[in-house]
Every structure is written in C-alpha cells, then in structure tokens.
Amino acid sequence: MSDAKAKGKGGEKSDVSDYDAYFELVQSRKKLSPSLQEKLTAAFSRIPVSSFPQVPRGKVIEIQADTTISDAVKILSESNILSAPVKHPDAVDSTDWKERYLGILDYSTIVLWVLETADLAAAALTATSATAAGIGAGAATTLGAVALGATGPVAAAGLTVAAVGAAVAGGVAADKGMGKDAPTAADELGEDFYKIILHEEPFKSTQVKSIVKSYRWAPYIPVSTDSSMLSVLLLLSKYRLRNVPVIEPGNPMIKNFITQSAVVQGLEQCKGRDWFDTISVHPITELGLPFVSKDKVVSSQSDELILEAFKKMKDNQIGGLPVVEGPTKKIVGNLSIKDIRFLLLKQKLFTNFRKLTVKDFMNTIAATSEENKKITSPITCKLGSTLGEVISTLASKCVHRIYVVGDGNDVIGIITLRDVISCFITEPPNYIMEVHGTTVKELLSNEKSRNSG
C-alpha cells in the first residue's frame, strides 16, 4: 500500500483513474528493458494462483460476523495477522461468495471505528447531565445524532448518542465529566472512559458486521484458484489491495489468502534465479524508487498526540508513518496501523489516551518486551541500496514499509510492499481482469457507488 496521500470518502480511493495514474508513474520511472519486463509479465500470467503457497497451518483464519470488536482484535493479535475475511453466519449454505462473506476486517477498519467511537463517547459525556435530568430516550434520539455529530458510518454502526448517554448515566462515573466539553470530560474520566469504549453498551457488544462495510478502506475482491498470479500481483500493486482471497470455481469457501507481505516473502526466496537477480541487483533509484518522495511523506512528530497520528493514517489512507523529531525531521521511530491493538488490548495505554503522545506510546510499547521494542524501531535504507537489499530487509523484518533516509537520518522517501511488487510487473495492453464474471473496474465502480450512496 502506497503511503502517498489519497482522496475519497471514508478513506477509499475516489476514482479508478487514480490506480492508472500510480501505475503509469511506476512504469515511466523504471529503467528496465521493455523485453525483460514483457518476459516477466508473461511468466507471471502463466502461473496459476493455485501454485502459491498456502497460509500458515494450511487454513485461512476467518472471523464470524457476530464476533465483537474486542474479540476480533484478540483473534488478529493472537494469530499475528493484519486481516481476516468476515463470514456471514446466515449464509453458511450459500454458494455465492458475495453472500457468504461480508468483506475483510483489518486494523485500518478498526482504526476508523475507534476514532469515531472515541469521539462519540466523549460527546455523550456532555449530554449526560441532560440524560440524568430526565430527558427521555425519544427526545435524546431526536436531538442526539444531529446535535453531537453522530452521522455517517457511526449511525450505520448503530452507535447512538442516546444509548451512550444512558450508559454513562447508568453509573460509569458520570459526575466526573458532567457539563464539560467532550475532550475534557474524556480526560477526567480516565479509566472510566476506557470502560465506556470497550466494557459498556453499546460499544461492548458492537459486532464486526456493524463496521466491516461502513469503515473499510478497500473492496473485497477474491480470485479463483485458476486465475493467474499476474492478476493477483496487479490487485496487490496497481489496485492497492493488501490482500486477495482465493476461492475455487463453484465453491465460495476461501482456500487461500494472498497478502502483499506473502508475495514479497516469496520474491525473497527467488534469490539466485536469473530473472530475479537481473532486477534485484539494480539500485532502487534505477527502478524509480522511492515512489513516495520527500515532499509526499506523511510523518508524525514524537510530541504529537497518538490519536492525531492514527488520524493522519486514516485521513491519508496509509498503513504507517515515520516518527520524527526536530526541524530536520530526523527519524526516531515507526508507527503502524497495527499498533492500534495496544490501545484496545492494554488498558493502561488507553487510559487518558487523549493526552498520550506518540513518544510515550512507543516507549510504553517498547518497555513491555524485546519483541515489542522492535515494533517501534524504524527500518531504513539509503538511495544507494539495491532492490534486492530492500526486499531482504522487508522480508526478514516482516515490515510493510522501509524508510529511505539521507545523511542526516532524515526521511527522504518511503518504499512500500506495493511499490516493490510494482517493480516486477507491467500490465499488458488491453488486459482485462475478471473476477468470477465481473471485471475489476466494474467491481471498483460498484464500490464507489455504494460509498457515495
């Protein structure tokens, strides 16, 4: 996923032409012979998706649509995965993949929900005095969403201000925040605010099915086992999908789950093969990298609030950003969208979260274990690095982006998994990708219509 800025409602791309623009830029900057690129593209077009290695343990982890958000986060975290398909509990006998699965739940979806939910809960605290004073549920509902801004995806998720106000009035230390502005109320509630988010209704019982469509960043587009790997690579690069489910023709069950990370891991294992070595030996600059240049880098200062950092990811539709310090923007850390799990699973981090800085957040994570310390450490390379070196680092460190730094350790570019995959393929002229009888562009257009409707 590119870390360039994006446009569009709910974080999704606004136009199919944006995908074409990215891919045209990539192709125009690569200094590779046309014949080599054509041979590679032709080779990938002959490789069936069924030949791609299976997910660990050979079974795709799925999440039931009626699973609560907190339980879903635990599943993702304990399984060490970023995303999982969401299965519709009422369509177990359906042979139509569109009915059987609601979509993909990932950390970006959860980030969007957390940010809006946190604002909603904070706003509800200001309404508590009115609720406690005897304003009925009907009146609160009439005033609620409009007065406190609970519109759009929040309303779709069924999170009403009236319900939150009732929960607060029901005994969650409402008097501490009564009558104050929402942010102040949230700060003073501390642990009680955390309880509202994850331990009180309606948040406690909010289910995955309530948010998976309203908050998702990318459409759900599966491929068949007899599709070509070229189609998968185009979906993961040009069309910006981070994962592609694989299903058998006539069978809606997901048989495999191909991610950007898995593809780059696979490329790393191709060392020693002529076609790979011919490309990977090139310095990244000869391949046009980094595609995300210095002026397009979205970063976070270490003294910024952690919620502001996650909001930047949401607004720019990116999966991570560098943490920098000072006017020279020297890189000191890395923040990933996956790190939202710490806010959801570690109550001490979430308490008083509106005053928590990025630096304090990273330090707290790093202090919990040596493994978590690695999470916040920035992974970098230089302009003189080769593509092979970048791939080795991405694969061995299991990260989704590498920061290109200058002599002063300032960030001058970003290389993502999407960018690396794009280096190995081109799109043949008049190439039409179909997903079970429907073209990818039609699916993307339908997704755009759904979001604007």
Side-chain angles (χ1 to χ4, degrees), residues 260-341:
Q260 291 176 328
S261 183
V263 167
V264 172
Q265 295 276 351
L267 288 172
E268 166 67 3
Q269 295 174 18
C270 292
K271 274 185 175 180
R273 299 185 182 183
D274 290 343
W275 64 267
F276 178 83
D277 293 345
T278 300
I279 292 180
S280 63
V281 71
H282 286 273
I284 58 175
T285 51
E286 291 186 12
L287 293 157
L289 295 168
F291 302 139
V292 182
S293 56
K294 184 174 183 177
D295 61 324
K296 297 290 180 66
V297 171
V298 179
S299 61
S300 176
Q301 286 283 342
S302 62
D303 57 357
E304 285 183 20
L305 297 178
I306 187 63
L307 277 193
E308 285 302 314
F310 282 121
K311 187 174 184 299
K312 283 183 179 180
M313 294 187 216
K314 167 194 168 185
D315 292 344
N316 293 283
Q317 196 186 357
I318 55 179
L321 45 75
V323 179
V324 299
E325 285 185 347
T328 61
K329 294 187 176 181
K330 177 182 177 181
I331 188 169
V332 295
N334 169 68
L335 191 64
S336 168
I337 203 163
K338 185 180 179 181
D339 296 335
I340 192 71
R341 72 190 190 277

Coordinates of all heavy atoms in Angstrom, one line a residue, residues 260-341:
Q260 N 0.2 -8.9 0.4 CA 1.4 -8.2 -0.1 C 2.7 -8.8 0.5 O 3.7 -9.0 -0.1 CB 1.3 -6.7 0.1 CG 0.2 -6.0 -0.7 CD 0.2 -4.5 -0.3 OE1 0.4 -4.2 0.9 NE2 -0.2 -3.7 -1.2
S261 N 2.6 -9.0 1.8 CA 3.7 -9.4 2.6 C 4.2 -10.8 2.1 O 5.3 -11.1 2.0 CB 3.4 -9.5 4.1 OG 4.5 -9.8 4.8
A262 N 3.2 -11.7 1.9 CA 3.5 -13.1 1.5 C 4.1 -13.1 0.1 O 5.1 -13.9 -0.2 CB 2.2 -13.9 1.4
V263 N 3.7 -12.2 -0.8 CA 4.3 -12.1 -2.1 C 5.8 -11.7 -2.0 O 6.7 -12.2 -2.7 CB 3.5 -11.1 -3.0 CG1 4.3 -10.8 -4.3 CG2 2.2 -11.7 -3.4
V264 N 6.1 -10.6 -1.2 CA 7.4 -10.2 -1.1 C 8.3 -11.2 -0.4 O 9.5 -11.4 -0.7 CB 7.5 -8.8 -0.3 CG1 8.9 -8.4 0.1 CG2 6.8 -7.7 -1.1
Q265 N 7.7 -12.0 0.6 CA 8.5 -13.1 1.2 C 8.8 -14.1 0.1 O 9.9 -14.7 0.1 CB 7.6 -13.8 2.2 CG 7.3 -12.9 3.5 CD 8.4 -12.9 4.5 OE1 9.3 -13.7 4.4 NE2 8.3 -12.1 5.5
G266 N 7.9 -14.3 -0.8 CA 8.1 -15.3 -1.9 C 9.2 -14.8 -2.9 O 10.0 -15.6 -3.4
L267 N 9.2 -13.5 -3.1 CA 10.2 -12.9 -4.0 C 11.6 -13.1 -3.4 O 12.6 -13.4 -4.1 CB 10.0 -11.4 -4.2 CG 8.8 -11.1 -5.1 CD1 8.5 -9.6 -5.1 CD2 9.0 -11.5 -6.6
E268 N 11.7 -12.9 -2.1 CA 13.0 -13.1 -1.4 C 13.5 -14.5 -1.6 O 14.7 -14.7 -1.7 CB 12.8 -12.8 0.1 CG 13.9 -13.3 1.0 CD 15.2 -12.5 0.8 OE1 15.2 -11.6 0.0 OE2 16.2 -12.9 1.5
Q269 N 12.6 -15.5 -1.7 CA 13.1 -16.9 -1.9 C 13.5 -17.2 -3.3 O 14.0 -18.3 -3.6 CB 11.9 -17.8 -1.5 CG 11.6 -17.8 0.0 CD 10.3 -18.6 0.4 OE1 9.9 -19.5 -0.4 NE2 9.7 -18.3 1.5
C270 N 13.3 -16.2 -4.2 CA 13.7 -16.4 -5.6 C 15.2 -16.0 -5.9 O 15.6 -15.9 -7.0 CB 12.8 -15.6 -6.5 SG 11.1 -16.3 -6.5
K271 N 15.9 -15.6 -4.8 CA 17.3 -15.2 -5.0 C 18.1 -16.4 -5.7 O 17.9 -17.5 -5.3 CB 17.9 -15.0 -3.6 CG 17.8 -13.6 -3.1 CD 18.5 -13.4 -1.8 CE 18.5 -12.0 -1.3 NZ 19.2 -11.8 0.0
G272 N 18.9 -16.0 -6.6 CA 19.7 -17.0 -7.3 C 19.1 -17.3 -8.7 O 19.8 -17.9 -9.5
R273 N 17.8 -17.0 -8.9 CA 17.2 -17.2 -10.2 C 17.5 -16.0 -11.1 O 17.5 -14.8 -10.6 CB 15.7 -17.4 -10.0 CG 15.4 -18.6 -9.2 CD 13.9 -18.8 -9.2 NE 13.5 -20.0 -8.3 CZ 12.3 -20.4 -8.1 NH1 11.3 -19.9 -8.8 NH2 12.1 -21.5 -7.3
D274 N 17.8 -16.3 -12.3 CA 18.3 -15.2 -13.2 C 17.4 -14.1 -13.3 O 17.8 -12.9 -13.3 CB 18.6 -15.8 -14.6 CG 19.8 -16.7 -14.7 OD1 20.6 -16.7 -13.7 OD2 19.9 -17.5 -15.6
W275 N 16.1 -14.3 -13.5 CA 15.1 -13.2 -13.7 C 15.1 -12.3 -12.5 O 14.9 -11.1 -12.6 CB 13.7 -13.8 -14.0 CG 13.1 -14.6 -12.9 CD1 13.2 -15.9 -12.7 CD2 12.3 -14.1 -11.8 NE1 12.5 -16.3 -11.6 CE2 11.9 -15.2 -11.0 CE3 11.9 -12.8 -11.4 CZ2 11.1 -15.0 -9.8 CZ3 11.1 -12.7 -10.3 CH2 10.7 -13.8 -9.5
F276 N 15.2 -12.9 -11.3 CA 15.1 -12.1 -10.0 C 16.4 -11.3 -9.9 O 16.4 -10.1 -9.6 CB 14.9 -13.0 -8.8 CG 14.9 -12.2 -7.5 CD1 13.7 -11.6 -7.1 CD2 16.0 -12.2 -6.7 CE1 13.7 -10.9 -5.9 CE2 16.0 -11.5 -5.5 CZ 14.9 -10.8 -5.1
D277 N 17.5 -12.0 -10.0 CA 18.8 -11.3 -9.8 C 19.0 -10.2 -10.8 O 19.7 -9.2 -10.5 CB 20.0 -12.3 -9.9 CG 20.0 -13.3 -8.8 OD1 19.3 -13.1 -7.8 OD2 20.6 -14.4 -8.9
T278 N 18.5 -10.3 -12.1 CA 18.7 -9.3 -13.1 C 18.0 -8.0 -12.7 O 18.5 -6.9 -13.0 CB 18.0 -9.8 -14.4 OG1 18.7 -11.0 -14.8 CG2 18.2 -8.7 -15.5
I279 N 16.9 -8.1 -11.9 CA 16.2 -6.9 -11.5 C 16.7 -6.4 -10.1 O 16.9 -5.3 -9.9 CB 14.7 -7.2 -11.4 CG1 14.1 -7.3 -12.8 CG2 13.9 -6.0 -10.7 CD1 12.6 -7.6 -12.9
S280 N 16.9 -7.4 -9.2 CA 17.2 -7.0 -7.8 C 18.6 -6.4 -7.6 O 18.8 -5.7 -6.6 CB 17.1 -8.3 -6.9 OG 18.0 -9.2 -7.3
V281 N 19.5 -6.6 -8.6 CA 20.8 -6.0 -8.5 C 20.8 -4.5 -8.7 O 21.8 -3.8 -8.4 CB 21.7 -6.8 -9.5 CG1 21.4 -6.3 -10.9 CG2 23.2 -6.5 -9.1
H282 N 19.8 -4.0 -9.3 CA 19.7 -2.6 -9.6 C 19.5 -1.7 -8.3 O 18.8 -2.1 -7.4 CB 18.5 -2.3 -10.5 CG 18.7 -2.7 -11.9 ND1 19.3 -1.9 -12.9 CD2 18.4 -3.9 -12.5 CE1 19.3 -2.6 -14.0 NE2 18.8 -3.8 -13.9
P283 N 20.2 -0.6 -8.2 CA 19.9 0.4 -7.2 C 18.5 0.8 -7.2 O 17.9 0.9 -8.3 CB 20.9 1.5 -7.4 CG 22.0 1.0 -8.3 CD 21.3 -0.1 -9.1
I284 N 17.9 1.1 -6.1 CA 16.5 1.5 -6.1 C 16.2 2.7 -7.0 O 15.1 2.8 -7.6 CB 16.0 1.7 -4.7 CG1 16.8 2.8 -4.0 CG2 16.0 0.4 -3.9 CD1 16.2 3.2 -2.6
T285 N 17.1 3.6 -7.1 CA 16.9 4.8 -7.9 C 16.7 4.4 -9.4 O 16.0 5.1 -10.1 CB 18.1 5.8 -7.8 OG1 19.3 5.1 -8.0 CG2 18.1 6.4 -6.4
E286 N 17.3 3.3 -9.9 CA 17.2 2.9 -11.3 C 15.8 2.3 -11.5 O 15.4 2.1 -12.7 CB 18.3 1.9 -11.7 CG 19.6 2.6 -11.7 CD 20.7 1.6 -12.3 OE1 20.3 0.5 -12.8 OE2 21.9 1.9 -12.2
L287 N 15.1 2.0 -10.5 CA 13.7 1.5 -10.6 C 12.7 2.6 -10.3 O 11.5 2.3 -10.2 CB 13.5 0.3 -9.7 CG 14.3 -0.9 -10.1 CD1 14.6 -1.9 -8.9 CD2 13.7 -1.7 -11.2
G288 N 13.2 3.8 -10.1 CA 12.3 4.9 -9.9 C 11.9 5.1 -8.4 O 11.1 5.9 -8.1
L289 N 12.5 4.2 -7.6 CA 12.1 4.3 -6.1 C 13.0 5.3 -5.4 O 14.1 5.6 -5.9 CB 12.4 2.9 -5.5 CG 11.5 1.7 -6.0 CD1 12.1 0.4 -5.5 CD2 10.1 1.9 -5.5
P290 N 12.4 6.0 -4.4 CA 11.1 5.7 -3.8 C 10.0 6.5 -4.6 O 10.2 7.6 -5.1 CB 11.2 6.3 -2.4 CG 12.2 7.4 -2.5 CD 13.2 6.9 -3.6
F291 N 8.9 5.8 -4.8 CA 7.7 6.5 -5.5 C 7.1 7.6 -4.6 O 6.6 8.5 -5.1 CB 6.7 5.5 -5.9 CG 7.2 4.4 -6.8 CD1 6.8 3.1 -6.6 CD2 8.1 4.7 -7.8 CE1 7.3 2.1 -7.5 CE2 8.6 3.7 -8.7 CZ 8.2 2.4 -8.5
V292 N 7.2 7.3 -3.3 CA 6.8 8.3 -2.3 C 8.0 9.2 -2.0 O 8.8 8.8 -1.2 CB 6.2 7.7 -1.0 CG1 5.7 8.8 -0.1 CG2 5.0 6.7 -1.4
S293 N 8.0 10.4 -2.6 CA 9.2 11.3 -2.4 C 9.1 12.1 -1.1 O 8.1 12.1 -0.4 CB 9.3 12.2 -3.6 OG 8.1 12.9 -3.8
K294 N 10.2 12.8 -0.8 CA 10.3 13.6 0.4 C 9.1 14.5 0.7 O 8.6 14.6 1.8 CB 11.6 14.3 0.4 CG 11.9 15.1 1.8 CD 13.2 15.7 1.8 CE 13.5 16.4 3.1 NZ 14.9 17.0 3.2
D295 N 8.7 15.2 -0.4 CA 7.6 16.1 -0.2 C 6.2 15.5 0.0 O 5.2 16.2 0.3 CB 7.5 17.1 -1.4 CG 7.3 16.4 -2.7 OD1 7.8 15.3 -2.9 OD2 6.6 17.0 -3.5
K296 N 6.1 14.2 -0.3 CA 4.9 13.5 -0.1 C 4.8 12.6 1.2 O 3.8 12.0 1.5 CB 4.6 12.5 -1.3 CG 4.5 13.3 -2.7 CD 3.2 14.0 -2.7 CE 3.1 14.7 -4.1 NZ 2.9 13.8 -5.2
V297 N 5.9 12.6 1.9 CA 6.0 11.8 3.1 C 5.1 12.3 4.2 O 5.2 13.5 4.5 CB 7.4 11.7 3.7 CG1 7.4 11.0 5.0 CG2 8.3 10.9 2.7
V298 N 4.2 11.5 4.7 CA 3.4 11.9 5.9 C 4.0 11.4 7.1 O 4.2 10.2 7.3 CB 1.9 11.3 5.7 CG1 1.1 11.7 6.9 CG2 1.3 11.8 4.5
S299 N 4.4 12.3 8.0 CA 5.1 11.8 9.3 C 4.4 12.4 10.5 O 3.5 13.2 10.4 CB 6.6 12.3 9.2 OG 6.6 13.7 9.2
S300 N 4.9 11.9 11.6 CA 4.4 12.4 12.9 C 5.5 12.8 13.8 O 6.5 12.1 14.0 CB 3.5 11.3 13.6 OG 3.1 11.7 14.9
Q301 N 5.4 14.0 14.4 CA 6.4 14.5 15.4 C 6.2 13.6 16.6 O 5.1 13.3 17.0 CB 6.3 15.9 15.7 CG 6.8 16.9 14.6 CD 8.3 17.0 14.5 OE1 9.0 16.7 15.5 NE2 8.8 17.4 13.4
S302 N 7.3 13.4 17.3 CA 7.2 12.5 18.5 C 6.4 13.1 19.6 O 5.9 12.4 20.5 CB 8.6 12.2 19.0 OG 9.3 13.4 19.4
D303 N 6.3 14.4 19.7 CA 5.5 15.1 20.7 C 4.0 15.3 20.3 O 3.2 15.9 21.1 CB 6.1 16.4 21.1 CG 6.2 17.4 20.0 OD1 5.9 17.0 18.8 OD2 6.7 18.5 20.2
E304 N 3.6 14.8 19.2 CA 2.2 14.8 18.8 C 1.4 13.8 19.6 O 1.9 12.8 20.1 CB 2.0 14.6 17.3 CG 2.5 15.7 16.4 CD 2.2 15.4 14.9 OE1 1.4 14.5 14.6 OE2 2.8 16.0 14.0
L305 N 0.1 14.0 19.7 CA -0.8 13.1 20.3 C -0.9 11.8 19.5 O -1.0 11.9 18.3 CB -2.1 13.7 20.6 CG -2.1 14.9 21.6 CD1 -3.6 15.5 21.7 CD2 -1.6 14.6 22.9
I306 N -1.0 10.7 20.1 CA -1.1 9.4 19.4 C -2.4 9.3 18.6 O -2.3 8.8 17.4 CB -1.0 8.2 20.4 CG1 -0.9 6.9 19.6 CG2 -2.2 8.2 21.3 CD1 0.3 6.8 18.8
L307 N -3.5 9.9 19.0 CA -4.7 9.9 18.2 C -4.5 10.7 17.0 O -5.1 10.4 16.0 CB -5.9 10.4 19.1 CG -6.5 9.3 20.0 CD1 -7.9 9.8 20.4 CD2 -6.7 8.0 19.3
E308 N -3.7 11.8 17.0 CA -3.5 12.6 15.8 C -2.7 11.8 14.8 O -2.9 11.9 13.6 CB -2.7 13.9 16.2 CG -3.6 14.9 16.9 CD -4.8 15.3 16.0 OE1 -4.6 15.6 14.8 OE2 -5.9 15.4 16.6
A309 N -1.8 11.0 15.3 CA -1.0 10.1 14.4 C -1.9 9.1 13.7 O -1.8 8.9 12.5 CB 0.1 9.4 15.2
F310 N -2.8 8.4 14.4 CA -3.7 7.5 13.8 C -4.7 8.2 12.9 O -5.1 7.6 11.9 CB -4.4 6.7 14.9 CG -3.6 5.6 15.5 CD1 -3.4 5.6 16.9 CD2 -3.1 4.6 14.8 CE1 -2.6 4.6 17.5 CE2 -2.3 3.6 15.3 CZ -2.1 3.6 16.7
K311 N -5.0 9.4 13.2 CA -5.9 10.2 12.4 C -5.3 10.5 11.1 O -5.9 10.5 10.0 CB -6.4 11.5 13.1 CG -7.5 12.2 12.3 CD -7.9 13.4 13.1 CE -9.1 14.1 12.4 NZ -8.7 14.7 11.1
K312 N -4.0 10.8 11.1 CA -3.2 11.0 9.8 C -3.3 9.8 8.9 O -3.4 9.9 7.7 CB -1.8 11.4 10.1 CG -1.6 12.8 10.6 CD -0.1 13.1 10.8 CE 0.1 14.5 11.3 NZ 1.6 14.8 11.5
M313 N -3.1 8.6 9.6 CA -3.2 7.4 8.8 C -4.6 7.2 8.1 O -4.7 6.9 7.0 CB -2.9 6.2 9.7 CG -1.5 6.1 10.2 SD -1.2 4.5 11.0 CE -0.1 5.1 12.4
K314 N -5.6 7.5 8.9 CA -7.0 7.5 8.5 C -7.2 8.4 7.3 O -7.7 8.1 6.3 CB -7.9 7.8 9.6 CG -9.4 8.0 9.2 CD -10.2 8.6 10.3 CE -11.5 9.1 9.8 NZ -12.3 9.9 10.8
D315 N -6.8 9.7 7.5 CA -7.1 10.7 6.5 C -6.3 10.5 5.2 O -6.8 10.9 4.2 CB -6.7 12.1 7.1 CG -7.7 12.5 8.2 OD1 -8.8 11.9 8.3 OD2 -7.4 13.4 9.0
N316 N -5.1 10.0 5.3 CA -4.2 9.8 4.2 C -4.3 8.3 3.6 O -3.6 8.0 2.7 CB -2.8 10.2 4.5 CG -2.7 11.7 4.8 OD1 -2.7 12.5 3.8 ND2 -2.6 12.0 6.0
Q317 N -5.1 7.5 4.3 CA -5.2 6.1 3.9 C -3.9 5.4 3.7 O -3.5 4.8 2.7 CB -6.0 6.0 2.6 CG -6.5 4.6 2.3 CD -7.1 4.4 1.0 OE1 -7.3 5.4 0.2 NE2 -7.6 3.2 0.6
I318 N -3.1 5.5 4.8 CA -1.8 4.8 4.8 C -1.7 3.9 6.0 O -2.4 4.0 7.0 CB -0.6 5.9 4.9 CG1 -0.8 6.8 6.1 CG2 -0.6 6.7 3.6 CD1 0.3 7.8 6.2
G319 N -0.8 2.9 5.9 CA -0.7 1.9 6.9 C 0.3 2.1 8.0 O 0.5 1.3 8.9
G320 N 1.1 3.2 7.8 CA 2.1 3.5 8.8 C 2.8 4.8 8.5 O 2.6 5.3 7.4
L321 N 3.5 5.3 9.4 CA 4.3 6.6 9.2 C 5.5 6.7 10.0 O 5.6 6.0 11.1 CB 3.4 7.8 9.4 CG 2.5 7.9 10.6 CD1 3.3 8.2 11.9 CD2 1.4 9.0 10.4
P322 N 6.5 7.4 9.6 CA 7.7 7.6 10.4 C 7.5 8.6 11.5 O 6.7 9.6 11.4 CB 8.7 8.1 9.4 CG 7.9 8.9 8.4 CD 6.6 8.1 8.3
V323 N 8.1 8.3 12.7 CA 8.0 9.3 13.8 C 9.3 10.1 13.7 O 10.4 9.5 13.7 CB 7.9 8.5 15.1 CG1 7.9 9.5 16.3 CG2 6.6 7.7 15.1
V324 N 9.2 11.4 13.7 CA 10.4 12.2 13.5 C 10.5 13.3 14.7 O 9.6 13.5 15.4 CB 10.4 12.9 12.2 CG1 10.4 11.9 11.0 CG2 9.1 13.9 12.1
E325 N 11.7 13.9 14.8 CA 11.9 14.9 15.8 C 12.7 16.1 15.2 O 13.5 15.9 14.3 CB 12.7 14.3 17.0 CG 12.0 13.5 17.9 CD 12.8 13.0 19.1 OE1 14.0 13.2 19.1 OE2 12.2 12.5 20.1
G326 N 12.3 17.3 15.6 CA 13.1 18.5 15.3 C 12.8 19.0 13.9 O 12.1 18.3 13.1
P327 N 13.3 20.1 13.6 CA 13.1 20.8 12.3 C 13.7 20.0 11.1 O 13.2 20.1 10.0 CB 13.8 22.1 12.4 CG 14.8 22.0 13.5 CD 14.2 21.0 14.4
T328 N 14.7 19.2 11.4 CA 15.3 18.4 10.3 C 14.5 17.1 10.1 O 14.8 16.3 9.1 CB 16.8 18.0 10.6 OG1 16.8 17.2 11.8 CG2 17.6 19.3 10.8
K329 N 13.6 16.8 10.9 CA 12.7 15.6 10.9 C 13.6 14.3 10.9 O 13.4 13.4 10.0 CB 11.8 15.7 9.6 CG 10.8 16.8 9.7 CD 9.8 16.7 8.6 CE 8.7 17.7 8.7 NZ 7.7 17.7 7.6
K330 N 14.5 14.2 11.8 CA 15.3 13.0 12.0 C 14.4 11.9 12.4 O 13.6 12.0 13.4 CB 16.4 13.3 13.0 CG 17.2 12.1 13.3 CD 18.3 12.4 14.4 CE 19.1 11.2 14.7 NZ 20.1 11.5 15.8
I331 N 14.5 10.8 11.8 CA 13.6 9.6 12.1 C 14.0 9.0 13.4 O 15.2 8.7 13.7 CB 13.6 8.6 11.0 CG1 12.5 7.6 11.3 CG2 14.9 8.0 10.8 CD1 12.2 6.7 10.1
V332 N 13.1 8.8 14.3 CA 13.3 8.2 15.6 C 12.5 7.0 15.9 O 12.7 6.2 16.9 CB 13.1 9.2 16.8 CG1 14.1 10.3 16.7 CG2 11.7 9.8 16.8
G333 N 11.5 6.7 15.1 CA 10.6 5.6 15.3 C 9.7 5.3 14.1 O 9.7 6.0 13.1
N334 N 8.9 4.3 14.3 CA 7.9 3.8 13.3 C 6.6 3.6 14.0 O 6.6 3.0 15.1 CB 8.4 2.6 12.6 CG 7.3 2.0 11.7 OD1 6.9 2.6 10.7 ND2 6.8 0.8 12.1
L335 N 5.5 4.0 13.4 CA 4.2 3.8 13.9 C 3.4 3.1 12.8 O 3.3 3.6 11.7 CB 3.5 5.1 14.3 CG 2.2 5.0 15.2 CD1 2.5 4.3 16.5 CD2 1.6 6.3 15.4
S336 N 2.8 1.9 13.2 CA 2.0 1.2 12.2 C 0.5 1.2 12.6 O 0.2 1.3 13.8 CB 2.5 -0.3 12.1 OG 1.6 -1.1 11.4
I337 N -0.3 1.0 11.6 CA -1.7 1.0 11.9 C -2.1 -0.2 12.8 O -3.0 -0.2 13.6 CB -2.6 1.0 10.6 CG1 -4.0 1.5 10.9 CG2 -2.6 -0.4 10.0 CD1 -4.7 1.9 9.6
K338 N -1.3 -1.2 12.7 CA -1.5 -2.4 13.6 C -1.3 -2.1 15.0 O -1.8 -2.8 15.9 CB -0.5 -3.5 13.1 CG -0.7 -4.8 13.8 CD 0.3 -5.9 13.3 CE 0.2 -7.2 14.1 NZ 1.2 -8.2 13.6
D339 N -0.6 -1.0 15.4 CA -0.3 -0.7 16.8 C -1.6 -0.3 17.5 O -1.5 -0.1 18.7 CB 0.7 0.4 16.8 CG 2.1 -0.1 16.3 OD1 2.3 -1.3 16.3 OD2 2.9 0.8 15.9
I340 N -2.7 0.0 16.8 CA -3.9 0.3 17.4 C -4.3 -0.8 18.4 O -5.1 -0.6 19.3 CB -5.0 0.5 16.4 CG1 -6.3 1.2 17.0 CG2 -5.4 -0.7 15.7 CD1 -6.1 2.6 17.4
R341 N -3.8 -2.0 18.1 CA -4.2 -3.1 19.0 C -3.8 -2.9 20.5 O -4.4 -3.4 21.4 CB -3.6 -4.4 18.5 CG -2.1 -4.6 18.6 CD -1.7 -5.9 17.9 NE -0.3 -6.2 18.2 CZ 0.8 -5.7 17.6 NH1 0.6 -4.7 16.7 NH2 2.0 -6.1 17.9

